[in-house]
Amino acid sequence: MDRSAAAPGVLEGSDVGSQKDRVVTEEEWLQKWEMGNIGFHKEQGHPLLQKYLNVLLNGRSGLRIFFPLCGKAVEMKWLVDMGHSVVGVEVSEQALKEFFAEHSLPYHEEPVPEISGAKKLQSTSGNISLYCCSIYDLSSSIVGKFDGVWDRGALVAVNPCDRERYVSLMITLMEKNSSYLLVTVSYDPNKHKGPPFYVPESEIRSLFGNHYEIKCLQKVDDFSDRHRQWGLDYFLEVLYVLKFVA
């Protein structure tokens, strides 16, 4: 079966109602990290970012790149090594500390005065700033604006009822000439409750369309035994580039 050819067209008009009311709590995400249930983490980094890196950077240097719901993504280290600065946000302090430990990066912690209970873990070099808090507590007055976004495992992890809130925030964090790489997943949402959640292209265009030009760059068959255990028979990753227009 050619999954990459057949699956998206079949699903685009399908019922995602079985997921729309699903809510995953912050405590559940924290427990995933505590239990090591982080199959979503890619230890070698994401091949789609490697392949389309220049779409994100567009030949520019010294960019500020945002990683929403960053976990301990190794791609943050890639970009810093290229001379860019990275800001991430993540509810799991464990994930952030593991990032610094696994890359042998010294860092310091400091409170975030504008956000009660939040803390910022910043590399000693100053070019990696990771906020431990809810993404919805952030604003451009706290973190500034960004030249690029790598959104992999973020939009698809946000509770469906919060997508409009998430996208509204992301739009406020983007510089006018920014590039936004977005990875979604495609599968039969009637067979798996998520996360990751299925977000059809039609919804992406509805959420972002007034502010971005949206182009689908690639669909990749990412099906594995993990997805088979979920009861699925196909699983695609879909990469979009969003160019800010207003």
Side-chain angles (χ1 to χ4, degrees), residues 84-104:
H84 306 287
S85 61
V86 164
V87 174
V89 60
E90 167 63 48
V91 295
S92 171
E93 184 176 351
Q94 176 182 335
L96 301 182
K97 289 185 172 180
E98 286 181 9
F99 169 79
F100 286 109
E102 289 171 10
H103 296 282
S104 301

Side-chain angles (χ1 to χ4, degrees), residues 49-188:
L49 181 58
Q50 289 179 309
K51 181 175 181 179
Y52 291 97
L53 184 62
N54 197 52
V55 175
L56 179 65
L57 303 180
N58 200 22
R60 300 171 295 170
S61 59
L63 300 187
R64 298 188 77 236
I65 310 293
F66 185 46
F67 278 65
L69 282 56
C70 61
K72 57 177 181 177
V74 300
E75 299 91 340
M76 296 191 287
K77 181 67 162 53
W78 293 356
L79 286 159
V80 165
D81 287 345
M82 295 173 197
H84 306 287
S85 61
V86 164
V87 174
V89 60
E90 167 63 48
V91 295
S92 171
E93 184 176 351
Q94 176 182 335
L96 301 182
K97 289 185 172 180
E98 286 181 9
F99 169 79
F100 286 109
E102 289 171 10
H103 296 282
S104 301
L105 292 170
Y107 70 95
H108 61 271
E109 299 181 17
E110 58 188 68
V112 183
E114 303 91 336
I115 307 172
S116 176
K119 62 175 65 175
K120 179 171 73 171
L121 285 65
Q122 186 170 47
S123 62
T124 303
S125 61
N127 51 8
I128 305 175
S129 299
L130 305 182
Y131 288 79
C132 186
C133 62
S134 165
I135 189 171
Y136 304 115
D137 289 331
L138 295 184
S139 66
S140 59
S141 64
I142 299 172
V143 295
K145 294 197 173 190
F146 300 99
D147 305 299
V149 171
W150 173 242
D151 184 327
R152 184 263 165 183
L155 178 64
V156 298
V158 167
N159 291 324
C161 62
D162 290 328
R163 281 180 195 151
E164 289 187 9
R165 181 185 183 192
Y166 173 85
V167 170
S168 295
L169 170 64
M170 295 300 289
I171 290 168
T172 68
L173 298 180
M174 304 309 297
E175 294 282 10
K176 296 302 183 192
N177 62 342
S178 59
S179 295
Y180 189 133
L181 287 185
L182 169 66
V183 181
T184 67
V185 294
S186 181
Y187 61 86
D188 185 344

Side-chain angles (χ1 to χ4, degrees), residues 164-228:
E164 289 187 9
R165 181 185 183 192
Y166 173 85
V167 170
S168 295
L169 170 64
M170 295 300 289
I171 290 168
T172 68
L173 298 180
M174 304 309 297
E175 294 282 10
K176 296 302 183 192
N177 62 342
S178 59
S179 295
Y180 189 133
L181 287 185
L182 169 66
V183 181
T184 67
V185 294
S186 181
Y187 61 86
D188 185 344
N190 296 301
K191 292 186 176 181
H192 179 60
K193 64 182 181 178
F197 297 108
Y198 166 59
V199 186
E201 183 171 340
S202 58
E203 185 167 357
I204 292 165
R205 295 191 180 279
S206 173
L207 289 166
F208 288 99
N210 291 334
H211 300 274
Y212 288 87
E213 293 176 355
I214 301 167
K215 181 181 179 182
C216 181
L217 295 177
Q218 190 171 350
K219 298 175 181 178
V220 178
D221 180 357
D222 195 43
F223 188 69
S224 68
D225 286 341
R226 176 169 167 249
H227 304 122
R228 184 178 288 109

